[in-house]
Amino acid sequence: MTPVQPDATAAVAESADHPTYPMSRGCPFDPPPAASALRAVGPRRVTIWDGSHPWLFTRYDDVRVVLSDPRFSADKSRPGFPLSSGVAAAEVNVGATMLVMDGQEHAANRRMLMPEFTVRRSEERRAQITRVVDGHLDALISAGSPSDFVATVALPTALSVICELLGVPHEDAEFVRSRTATMGMVGLTLAEATAARGEIFDYLVALIGERDRRPREDLISRLTARHVRSGSVTREVLAAMALLVLTAGHDTAANMMSLGVLALTQHPEQFAYLRRDQTPATVSQVTDELLRYLTVVQRGIRRIATTDVEVNGHRVRAGEGVIAAIDVANRDGDHFLQGDELDVTAPARHHLAFGYGSHQCIGQALARIELEAVYGGVARRTPGLRLATPLEAVRFKSDMAVYGVHELLVTW
């Protein structure tokens, strides 16, 4: 909302050789101004928590190269990989998932999950997801205003959808929420992170065993039957995969639901546009623009060069770490005419909110349907929805890997 001042680029150029990353936000809806100013400067070395100096890429074209060139590895065990925290460093060899795999290993793991997340399969779930959203909106309305949108709609919707997909019993949803929320916190001690991860990992291993004995119509049952029984993967490998689906599948979705609704309340003309036009095409376009504008992955996607790589004229040498700032790249005015503004009438389909390349979010079709159901449902069911507190009173998740709000008190 608050544009970068004209002298921001000069300020960056005159700052320390390696500015600290991540950087502080100004407007809560915008990426850090100092990071945004780097688009005019180009790739820049930054300093991260361990004192290392990876390259930060902020331009749309550059970020797409970094995320699609196989010479940039996602393997966080490689020396020099720009890890996000001390906890991440201590857990380098714990529960490897396809997020940190390359090449054929990554492709093989992705193929295991892909049948569950096709566009067609996701579309088959649309009616059920819409019913889930409507049920939680009923609860919001019944509770009366003000009510917390996060606790009443966003979190239970995202949890319900992903737990139903995986086959996690409804009564265990709160356990899943609390452990995954703990895992997503920045600044956690190693002991706290290990305990939270261990508890939910052990739970999933046990659930896989239960589904092996008594299969149901859910993802864990199907993957157990196809891969665990054949011996192609162990229960532990499948548990790590299920944990990835759980964390990526509900935390990002819930945060994006709440943050998107908040953004609409702060842009009444955009909210009015959605209220006037509830066609699927419009709801889809609004969703993509909110994804572009907000981009809840706020600490970049990290890679390391396995050989020297040219990125649009900039050389990254073998062994150098890189961070692709997708939140900044999604505001690149050379690709999105709306730039730093929210404009739900503008094209935004090719945004990077779900990543890019071979590691692009496998569940994006399902996530879009969830978000469309929430944004469309709010516009249809609570057209007068507005923030019940001053914006300044909203607590944003600057302390977490995925951006969002801790609570969102709304009235209507």
Side-chain angles (χ1 to χ4, degrees):
M1 294 176 68
T2 303
V4 175
Q5 296 302 311
D7 63 348
T9 300
V12 168
E14 294 170 2
S15 66
D17 287 343
H18 308 314
T20 300
Y21 183 88
M23 301 161 178
S24 299
R25 292 178 184 260
C27 170
F29 297 110
D30 293 340
S36 295
L38 287 175
R39 280 200 307 267
V41 178
R44 182 70 175 273
R45 283 192 183 275
V46 293
T47 301
I48 60 174
W49 66 276
D50 62 355
S52 63
H53 306 299
W55 291 101
L56 181 69
F57 286 88
T58 54
R59 293 171 175 168
Y60 182 89
D61 286 340
D62 292 350
V63 165
R64 280 169 50 116
V65 171
V66 167
L67 296 182
S68 60
D69 192 316
R71 292 173 293 179
F72 287 110
S73 171
D75 182 359
K76 65 181 181 179
S77 68
R78 290 178 179 268
F81 191 95
L83 294 158
S84 59
S85 67
V87 170
E91 294 184 332
V92 161
N93 297 312
V94 175
T97 68
M98 64 183 184
L99 280 183
V100 296
M101 294 175 181
D102 297 323
Q104 291 303 311
E105 184 183 27
H106 169 258
N109 276 264
R110 193 175 176 94
R111 281 195 299 271
M112 287 175 59
L113 280 176
M114 198 63 234
E116 302 290 339
F117 292 99
T118 62
V119 172
R120 177 181 175 183
R121 197 70 179 263
S122 299
E123 282 294 337
E124 289 173 353
R125 299 185 175 109
R126 184 181 289 273
Q128 184 261 336
I129 291 170
T130 300
R131 287 194 295 272
V132 169
V133 172
D134 278 338
H136 292 307
L137 286 172
D138 285 341
L140 179 81
I141 294 167
S142 297
S145 62
S147 288
D148 180 8
F149 188 87
V150 174
T152 309
V153 179
L155 262 178
T157 292
L159 266 175
S160 176
V161 170
I162 205 65
C163 287
E164 177 74 20
L165 172 67
L166 281 169
V168 173
H170 175 76
E171 58 270 22
D172 296 338
E174 176 55 27
F175 167 82
V176 167
R177 185 208 64 76
S178 65
R179 299 312 183 273
T180 53
T182 299
M183 289 169 58
M185 293 176 65
V186 173
L188 215 60
T189 67
L190 178 58
E192 290 169 329
T194 301
R197 189 189 185 283
E199 286 179 21
I200 194 166
F201 183 81
D202 290 346
Y203 167 83
L204 289 169
V205 171
L207 183 61
I208 291 165
E210 172 64 23
R211 292 295 181 265
D212 193 12
R213 294 186 294 272
R214 301 178 183 83
R216 300 182 183 180
E217 285 298 318
D218 56 53
L219 183 149
I220 286 179
S221 295
R222 288 188 290 271
L223 292 185
T224 298
R226 291 174 196 154
H227 304 289
V228 175
R229 288 180 186 173
S230 69
S232 60
V233 300
T234 64
R235 288 181 181 178
E236 288 72 20
V237 168
L238 181 54
M241 193 175 295
L243 179 55
L244 172 62
V245 172
L246 263 180
T247 53
H250 94 269
D251 189 37
T252 51
N255 281 299
M256 189 61 215
M257 289 170 193
S258 300
L259 200 59
V261 167
L262 175 58
L264 288 173
T265 67
Q266 300 304 296
H267 294 79
E269 73 288 353
Q270 314 278 334
F271 194 13
Y273 175 82
L274 177 60
R275 289 197 301 266
R276 289 193 302 269
D277 188 348
Q278 285 279 296
T279 59
T282 294
V283 176
S284 177
Q285 181 167 319
V286 169
T287 299
D288 271 318
E289 173 62 357
L290 286 169
L291 282 161
R292 179 203 72 86
Y293 179 71
L294 296 169
T295 312
V296 295
V297 176
Q298 64 175 339
R299 294 172 183 259
I301 299 176
R302 294 156 190 246
R303 300 285 187 264
I304 188 168
T306 58
T307 186
D308 290 2
V309 187
E310 289 281 340
V311 180
N312 296 323
H314 177 83
R315 179 176 290 273
V316 179
R317 300 195 179 278
E320 292 182 339
V322 298
I323 301 174
I326 59 173
D327 54 342
V328 181
N330 270 339
R331 299 292 190 90
D332 192 334
D334 288 341
H335 285 271
F336 302 103
L337 295 180
Q338 60 271 47
D340 281 321
E341 300 300 318
L342 177 66
D343 183 356
V344 296
T345 68
R349 186 68 176 181
H350 298 293
H351 61 76
L352 303 170
F354 291 115
Y356 188 71
S358 62
H359 281 270
Q360 191 173 40
C361 176
I362 198 170
Q364 64 174 292
L366 183 64
R368 287 180 192 277
I369 290 170
E370 290 181 65
L371 294 172
E372 289 168 8
V374 168
Y375 300 148
V378 165
R380 184 180 72 254
R381 301 285 307 280
T382 55
L385 189 96
R386 60 194 183 277
L387 194 57
T389 65
L391 181 62
E392 294 73 23
V394 177
R395 294 187 303 122
F396 290 87
K397 292 185 175 180
S398 300
D399 59 336
M400 304 190 80
V402 177
Y403 195 55
V405 294
H406 289 283
E407 62 181 6
L408 187 65
L409 293 178
V410 295
T411 187
W412 52 92

